[in-house]
Amino acid sequence: MNAVPASARNDRTGVVDAAMRVLGENGLPGLSMRRIADVLDVQVSALYWHFPNKQTLLAAVSERIVALNNKTPDAAPDLAAIATTLRERLLAHRDGAELVSSSLALGLLELPSRAQLEKAALAAGLDATSAGIAADTIVHYVIGFTFYEQQRVHAAVVGAVDASADLTPVQVGDRVDAFDAGLKMVVAGVRSAAGAHRSR
Amino acid sequence: MNAVPASARNDRTGVVDAAMRVLGENGLPGLSMRRIADVLDVQVSALYWHFPNKQTLLAAVSERIVALNNKTPDAAPDLAAIATTLRERLLAHRDGAELVSSSLALGLLELPSRAQLEKAALAAGLDATSAGIAADTIVHYVIGFTFYEQQRVHAAVVGAVDASADLTPVQVGDRVDAFDAGLKMVVAGVRSAAGAHRSR
DNA sequence: ACCTGAACACCGTTCAAGT
DNA sequence: ACCTGAACACCGTTCAAGT
């Protein structure tokens, strides 16, 4: 939690850097404007020069979490692969799913994966309307599953302290299996919508 | 916001009543322990005799939201009908989906609809493991879609004040259509899992 | 362009003490 | 059994003023 030299002044990127660090160390409940300011060795009010409010700052953090580091410029990306990649991005950051879920719901975040999913659905033979719905459906599944999972893991850790619950409540492999099995169902359902009428 | 007579003392039911009222009037962001105490004409600390903390109180509120008022004791409840009923319960209360989503993730809430879905999935021919996964998948879809929808509606109302955005951004009918279309995909996918191997 | 300092109006939670 | 009163350690946001 030691601060960075106050020599140079900050920009939006630096503020988001600090926020990501606070998120990693304290989780979403501990991600306060004051703690971000502390990391930057700056007054809280200084943050409001860079962002109009906390939600906007969190949206910038979310954007970084879901950003596509396009090493492979999508070589035949099927629906399941896109969904799995999104899930991995969310799992890579503490409380990532909750953060992204709220930014998304507030309309402050565009999900690159959603556009990919829509494109893949079109390629699979869905009409335009259905492709959009299919993309949203898969996104809801991935975020919902991962949010639930990330919270449960945290709850299990906390709960294991005061109640001596079973120490290995869920094995990682089991969770991956459950995610894949559910995803398989959703993707099968999306595929079954191919070749429908193109009614408005 | 006028208070109730302090003559009789309160019980958990009364506290949840007050919380539901605050939720309806102020939404989840305005649902504070202090406001609940105000409605009951009581000090904040009094609430902690009834509930150990805020999350537990919110779980009790969530429980009431998703409670099944079993008028029809489930006459042939198919997957889509159960999902639609859950969605309607969530929509019936301000920020209902967000509230239930968080109580669920924290492991403080058992969803009656989930048990119904699991049973219906078994009846549809899924094995035990797949039926559980199918139930979770549908729950994630319903909560994810409804959460997003409830937040967007609120954001649209707020946004329409300062920005003169299109006043009817989404018609209710369109949203119902989108929910049903996505649900149809998910249910079709679940059905396609019937008759799978019964591996461990 | 970027930050300080101070204030405002809130939070959840604890705890001794009352009846 | 149920509540008061007071405190503790926090919050997000605003705003005049500095450099």
Side-chain angles (χ1 to χ4, degrees), chain A residues 126-156:
Chain A
L126 299 227
D127 65 273
T129 303
S130 300
I133 288 168
D136 288 336
T137 300
I138 294 175
V139 165
H140 285 139
Y141 170 71
V142 174
I143 291 179
F145 187 99
T146 310
F147 174 37
Y148 183 82
E149 175 183 6
Q150 277 182 324
Q151 288 278 103
R152 293 314 314 262
V153 167
H154 177 251

Side-chain angles (χ1 to χ4, degrees), chain A residues 80-144:
Chain A
I82 298 166
T84 299
T85 298
L86 172 58
R87 172 176 144 86
E88 280 162 0
R89 302 299 264 119
L90 298 177
L91 283 178
H93 300 88
R94 230 221 272 205
D95 295 327
E98 184 174 4
L99 202 42
V100 166
S101 167
S102 113
S103 296
L104 220 48
L106 291 170
L108 298 173
L109 175 69
E110 199 109 0
L111 207 54
S113 302
R114 208 212 87 108
Q116 287 192 323
L117 287 166
E118 194 168 12
K119 203 174 126 193
L122 283 170
L126 299 227
D127 65 273
T129 303
S130 300
I133 288 168
D136 288 336
T137 300
I138 294 175
V139 165
H140 285 139
Y141 170 71
V142 174
I143 291 179

